[in-house]
Amino acid sequence: MKLIKFGAEGQEKPGVILNDQYYDVSHLVEDYDEKFFSGNAIEELKEKIANTELPLVDKNTRLGSPIARPSKIVCVGLNYKDHAEETGMRLPEEPILFFKSTTAMVGPNDDLIIPKNSKKTDWEVELGVVIGKKASYVEPENALEHVAGYVLHNDYSEREFQVERQGQWVKGKSCDTFAPIGPFVATQDEIEDVNNLKLWLKVNDKIVQDGNTSNLIFDIPYLVSYISQFMTLLPGDVISTGTPAGVGLGQKPEPWYLKPGDVVELGIDGLGSSTQKVKAYTK
């Protein structure tokens, strides 16, 4: 099943995609939030949909993030060998973890706003894992039992804030609009092999990232298990699993970054695509 949220910003309703059509399920589900993912709501929703006539939604309607604001977004750094190499950093012996503020979340096709005083806003196509069952001290062999599904995420980063300013990476990861998520959450049964998904990203129609999840250093079961050793993962939480080579920081012969007027497009096999127009901060 593919879960969407549609409507104006702040007024999104839950929906689903069936046979490439959008349908409203707001009469069946309040929201795709911690309460929803923590129970058996996905299976219950499937049963309700099979026995209910659903209102059709215009496919031109704005999509918001397909999940409600979670308790946390946990990101994994340098989780593709080629990305670690392009940044000149050593391959990690353990997953590098950092947080991204949930206030950065926006819809998949909402504008990217370059932050005030930013000179190095960068892109990162990533596979997001949506937690579906509370996870604490989980073993790798049981980890996928705690996964509700998968989602496309662009982990935008301001490299000066992240790398050149003192402190943790979170400063460069959490600016408003820096976490476009969606267009939809695909439940596990929708994805044939999560370990073999093509990821891509274009800037102004130029392919800059072209990777595959088969090249993850730490795979999804390991990440869910590893992170659960240090914190409890709650239903609806997102793990962003890292990005392949091709970010602005790694461009040759020298790095280049986003500017107002640019258009960023990205996608992952089975998880759709999204587009963000780049605009300047104006307030």
Side-chain angles (χ1 to χ4, degrees):
M1 188 161 59
K2 297 176 181 176
L3 310 177
I4 61 171
K5 289 179 67 177
F6 64 93
E9 183 177 357
Q11 302 177 31
E12 296 93 341
K13 296 180 180 181
V16 295
I17 300 177
L18 300 172
N19 299 319
D20 203 35
Q21 296 292 328
Y22 295 179
Y23 293 95
D24 184 348
V25 295
S26 60
H27 58 300
L28 303 176
V29 176
E30 288 186 17
D31 203 353
Y32 297 138
D33 54 11
E34 181 179 343
K35 178 181 177 182
F36 174 83
F37 287 111
S38 64
N40 195 38
I42 290 178
E43 294 305 317
E44 292 174 359
L45 180 57
K46 288 180 180 180
E47 293 179 7
K48 291 176 181 177
I49 287 173
N51 298 294
T52 306
E53 186 171 342
L54 302 175
L56 195 64
V57 176
D58 187 337
K59 292 181 70 174
N60 293 316
T61 302
R62 171 189 174 271
L63 294 180
S65 165
I67 57 174
R69 187 176 294 173
S71 78
K72 52 190 169 291
I73 302 173
V74 185
C75 298
V76 184
L78 304 178
N79 199 25
Y80 286 78
K81 182 179 179 180
D82 56 359
H83 177 51
E85 290 174 346
E86 74 174 347
T87 61
M89 301 182 73
R90 293 173 55 188
L91 292 182
E93 296 179 7
E94 294 187 48
I96 297 172
L97 304 182
F98 59 91
F99 287 108
K100 193 176 187 86
S101 173
T102 59
T103 56
M105 291 174 61
V106 290
N109 302 308
D110 289 346
D111 294 335
L112 168 71
I113 306 301
I114 294 181
K116 185 177 181 180
N117 301 318
S118 167
K119 299 176 182 177
K120 298 181 178 180
T121 294
D122 203 347
W123 57 85
E124 295 188 24
V125 59
E126 302 202 5
L127 170 70
V129 179
V130 181
I131 298 299
K133 179 182 176 183
K134 184 177 178 180
S136 179
Y137 299 111
V138 171
E139 295 300 322
E141 57 267 27
N142 301 321
L144 292 183
E145 298 172 10
H146 297 263
V147 173
Y150 304 102
V151 70
L152 174 65
H153 174 219
N154 195 341
D155 176 27
Y156 281 113
S157 310
E158 211 299 339
R159 300 302 188 186
E160 182 181 6
F161 299 174
Q162 176 192 357
V163 179
E164 300 174 36
R165 304 281 291 270
Q166 294 184 1
Q168 299 181 346
W169 287 4
V170 64
K171 295 202 300 280
K173 297 286 187 172
S174 297
C175 304
D176 291 349
T177 74
F178 267 30
I181 292 179
F184 54 81
V185 172
T187 52
Q188 286 203 65
D189 58 298
E190 292 277 347
I191 304 299
E192 183 175 346
D193 183 4
V194 74
N195 297 307
N196 186 25
L197 299 178
K198 177 182 171 66
L199 307 85
W200 58 271
L201 186 143
K202 299 179 184 179
V203 179
N204 301 330
D205 287 328
K206 176 185 177 182
I207 285 279
V208 289
Q209 288 188 278
D210 184 8
N212 193 291
T213 57
S214 61
N215 294 318
L216 284 167
I217 296 171
F218 304 105
D219 65 15
I220 290 164
Y222 184 88
L223 290 175
V224 173
S225 173
Y226 181 86
I227 295 169
S228 78
Q229 309 304 308
F230 303 98
M231 67 193 79
T232 296
L233 293 166
L234 296 177
D237 283 354
V238 176
I239 299 172
S240 199
T241 58
T243 198
V247 299
L249 179 65
Q251 295 296 311
K252 306 299 183 205
E254 60 184 23
W256 54 273
Y257 300 100
L258 295 171
K259 62 185 185 302
D262 287 341
V263 177
V264 180
E265 301 171 79
L266 61 150
I268 300 178
D269 287 351
L271 296 176
S273 61
S274 66
T275 301
Q276 295 96 47
K277 295 180 180 178
V278 182
K279 296 187 177 180
Y281 178 86
T282 56
K283 292 184 180 179

